[in-house]
Amino acid sequence: MNLADFVLSEYGTASSIPAPINRMMAAFAADFRQDKDINVGVGYVNERTIPRNLISEAMQAVIAHPEKYKVALNYGGSQGSPNLIDSIKKFHVENSIGGLTQEILDRNEIIIGPNGATSLLEGIAHVLPPGIVITSDPMYYIYCDFLERQGFEVVTVPEDDNGIRTDVLREKLGGSGLGTRKNDVRFFYIVTINNPTGTILSNERRAELVQIATELSINVGRKIPVFFDKAYENLVHDPTVPPLQSGLLHDDYGIVYEIGTLSKILAPALRIGYMIGNDCPFLRAMIQKTSDVGFSAPLITQEIASYLLDHHVQRQIDTVNQGYRQKARAVKGFIEAHLGDVISSCSGGKAGFYFYLTFDGIQTTEDSAFFKYLSRTTGDVAIDGPDTDKNPRVIYLPGEFCVHPHGDLVEIGKRQLRLSYGFEEVERIREAIELMSEAVDYAKR
Ligand SMILES: Cc1ncc(COP(=O)(O)O)c(C=O)c1O
């Protein structure tokens, strides 16, 4: 007897088909050759930035001091380890991160996500009802794709060199834009150092965004939160960038939340993400959500992170940034030398580990000649190499996946790509860029 398949929720149905980017990455990963293929597509941190010895030292210290790190191998509380919360507070105040003071932090709460910043982002989409989410274009595709599967409508606003364009945002929120649908805006999601573009949201824009969200809240008669995702905020490695200010400095109504992660400065595998913001029913729902999905982040990694923040963080951040600074400079040089003639713009390279390139007249989409050359799927054995031993392949993140499919940048997105200088070493990235230059020549044929 033929039975119908399980009944899936709308989210389940939407999630049963892999997101385009996941499908592409999985296809590539399936036969990735470590010593031959080059991955400038993945958002992994550089292995050399991960402080293995310090993590080992921290683990031993945590186990050896149960009087401070109580029950470190047991379940934790769902708000997060008190040690870690204190360490995060101290880390911000002592280093004046974002200009945050003891007074501002005392006025707000800190919670630890069950599994990195990603799990907090996911939690937000569960405790807030579906509606419109405002973000910038290009967008952080991983979260935006999830939001849409979860039933939200993502409305994107293009960015310029200073981040999301607040003039366009005001227009969209005005009468001729969303009109009465502005009542459906659930939250703003703003990545302060954008993924994929590496664009740094200026301090003026931060203040203005909070102002716009405050005005909209007053207009619709209910608080509309702004979530600043500051995943890369500790990775500003260009000395010309002025100190960045937290959105919390401008928050009069308790609508600003900041989401941070220790993935990029310590290790993604610790899975430590945190959120700072006003205590209210929303925040308490987020804590309950952590309990619901696994009680707490693993307490042992929270305590390790606390130890590292207390003892080693500043030197660790300096070392990490020194590494990325050098790589960014070198990679920028390779881009100029090999692709300078065919790109019309290049953002990023000042913080985090992405460059975002716009090509002149060269398509970067999955079905383009450029992509086929680099994935060795042209069908021409002289280019691809024999099936048993394909020539070196390069994986990058095509812009078509980074721009909103119904936004204003669909066409230009087809000529863009994100190049990560995080994971691979400089020499491999040089090779990748040289191959991209060959791919340009091939695409022009
Ligand atoms: C913008 C942004 N937010 C969040 C994350 C994920 O952080 P976590 O490792 O803490 O889940 C990333 C990782 O690449 C990111 O780029």
Side-chain angles (χ1 to χ4, degrees):
M1 189 176 158
N2 264 350
L3 294 181
D5 221 328
F6 308 133
V7 178
L8 296 182
S9 64
E10 278 182 38
Y11 166 76
T13 305
S15 303
S16 66
I17 308 152
I21 186 69
N22 290 357
R23 179 185 38 72
M24 191 193 95
M25 289 293 181
F28 196 84
D31 53 355
F32 187 80
R33 298 159 303 174
Q34 204 72 47
D35 47 346
K36 202 156 187 186
D37 299 325
I38 311 172
N39 194 342
V40 290
V42 79
Y44 284 14
V45 306
N46 187 267
E47 280 284 314
R48 288 203 277 176
T49 66
I50 298 176
R52 285 184 166 64
N53 293 341
L54 297 182
I55 289 172
S56 174
E57 172 193 316
M59 167 101 152
Q60 284 174 31
V62 166
I63 302 285
H65 294 284
E67 71 290 354
K68 176 163 171 71
Y69 304 103
K70 298 184 184 77
V71 300
L73 289 163
N74 218 314
Y75 292 116
S78 36
Q79 176 163 357
S81 142
N83 285 327
L84 178 57
I85 290 171
D86 273 356
S87 304
I88 290 173
K89 245 188 214 181
K90 235 176 10 178
F91 167 57
H92 282 80
V93 173
E94 286 176 4
N95 300 290
S96 192
I97 303 221
L100 289 175
T101 59
Q102 187 72 45
E103 190 259 321
I104 295 174
L105 288 164
D106 286 346
R107 179 150 44 88
N108 287 288
E109 285 289 320
I110 297 179
I111 66 170
I112 310 298
N115 196 25
T118 305
S119 64
L120 289 164
L121 295 173
E122 196 254 6
I124 292 167
H126 275 270
V127 305
L128 298 180
I132 293 172
V133 178
I134 308 269
T135 193
S136 61
D137 210 357
M139 60 190 188
Y140 179 41
Y141 68 93
I142 290 180
Y143 188 44
C144 292
D145 181 77
F146 162 69
L147 283 173
E148 297 207 319
R149 276 181 282 123
Q150 188 63 24
F152 286 84
E153 180 186 349
V154 174
V155 171
T156 51
V157 176
E159 64 170 29
D160 62 17
D161 292 348
N162 291 311
I164 185 168
R165 282 190 52 190
T166 38
D167 56 336
V168 178
L169 173 58
R170 279 189 191 279
E171 276 166 31
K172 286 218 182 196
L173 293 174
S176 56
L178 287 174
T180 53
R181 293 179 69 229
K182 69 178 176 222
N183 287 307
D184 298 335
V185 173
R186 288 287 173 258
F187 62 93
F188 294 79
Y189 171 65
I190 308 292
V191 184
T192 61
I193 290 157
N194 200 9
N195 180 359
T197 57
T199 301
I200 300 170
L201 183 70
S202 72
N203 287 331
E204 292 72 22
R205 292 276 167 90
R206 289 166 194 236
E208 212 186 335
L209 273 166
V210 178
Q211 179 63 29
I212 290 172
T214 303
E215 284 167 20
L216 183 63
S217 298
I218 292 170
N219 193 290
V220 303
R222 105 189 115 71
K223 293 181 185 179
I224 299 176
V226 188
F227 297 99
F228 285 107
D229 180 339
K230 46 175 206 166
Y232 300 93
E233 193 116 341
N234 297 312
L235 292 189
V236 177
H237 46 68
D238 184 315
T240 63
V241 178
L244 298 174
Q245 285 175 357
S246 163
L248 287 163
L249 267 50
H250 312 290
D251 186 20
D252 295 332
Y253 286 86
I255 59 172
V256 174
Y257 288 85
E258 280 197 342
I259 295 167
T261 175
L262 300 183
S263 289
K264 316 291 175 184
I265 53 169
L266 293 177
L270 293 175
R271 305 309 298 128
I272 302 294
Y274 57 91
M275 185 163 77
I276 310 176
N278 184 40
D279 187 11
C280 65
F282 159 72
L283 199 84
R284 288 190 285 271
M286 289 291 289
I287 295 170
Q288 179 60 44
K289 167 85 183 143
T290 298
S291 176
D292 293 342
V293 297
F295 308 120
S296 70
L299 194 49
I300 183 77
T301 70
Q302 294 191 65
E303 302 297 43
I304 288 171
S306 167
Y307 177 93
L308 292 170
L309 285 179
D310 289 350
H311 295 90
H312 295 295
V313 75
Q314 202 47 55
R315 211 155 13 99
Q316 167 65 11
I317 291 181
D318 290 347
T319 313
V320 171
N321 279 327
Q322 224 174 356
Y324 286 134
R325 181 78 215 120
Q326 281 170 5
K327 282 177 107 180
R329 278 215 187 100
V331 172
K332 178 97 183 166
F334 306 148
I335 292 171
E336 278 164 5
H338 298 288
L339 300 172
D341 294 345
V342 286
I343 54 171
S344 55
S345 74
C346 169
S347 64
K350 295 183 173 183
F353 38 72
Y354 303 123
F355 282 106
Y356 194 71
L357 312 182
T358 305
F359 285 80
D360 266 336
I362 305 284
Q363 301 260 308
T364 57
T365 50
E366 222 183 335
D367 59 359
S368 66
F370 180 84
F371 186 94
K372 286 182 178 156
Y373 186 94
L374 293 169
S375 56
R376 306 301 182 182
T377 52
T378 63
D380 177 349
V381 77
I383 289 167
D384 301 344
D387 276 348
T388 48
D389 184 27
K390 289 262 170 112
N391 288 332
R393 300 179 306 167
V394 175
I395 185 76
Y396 61 84
L397 183 59
E400 65 177 330
F401 298 130
C402 302
V403 297
H404 193 278
H406 310 299
D408 304 328
L409 305 182
V410 172
E411 281 312 308
I412 195 171
K414 293 178 183 165
R415 293 185 283 110
Q416 297 178 320
L417 65 83
R418 186 190 78 179
L419 186 156
S420 165
Y421 54 90
F423 183 64
E424 298 279 8
E425 297 302 335
V426 164
E427 269 312 296
R428 311 288 330 273
I429 303 173
R430 183 178 55 75
E431 273 173 55
I433 292 171
E434 285 172 5
L435 288 168
M436 282 184 182
S437 166
E438 288 177 20
V440 166
D441 293 340
Y442 174 75
K444 279 182 171 169
R445 283 203 326 214

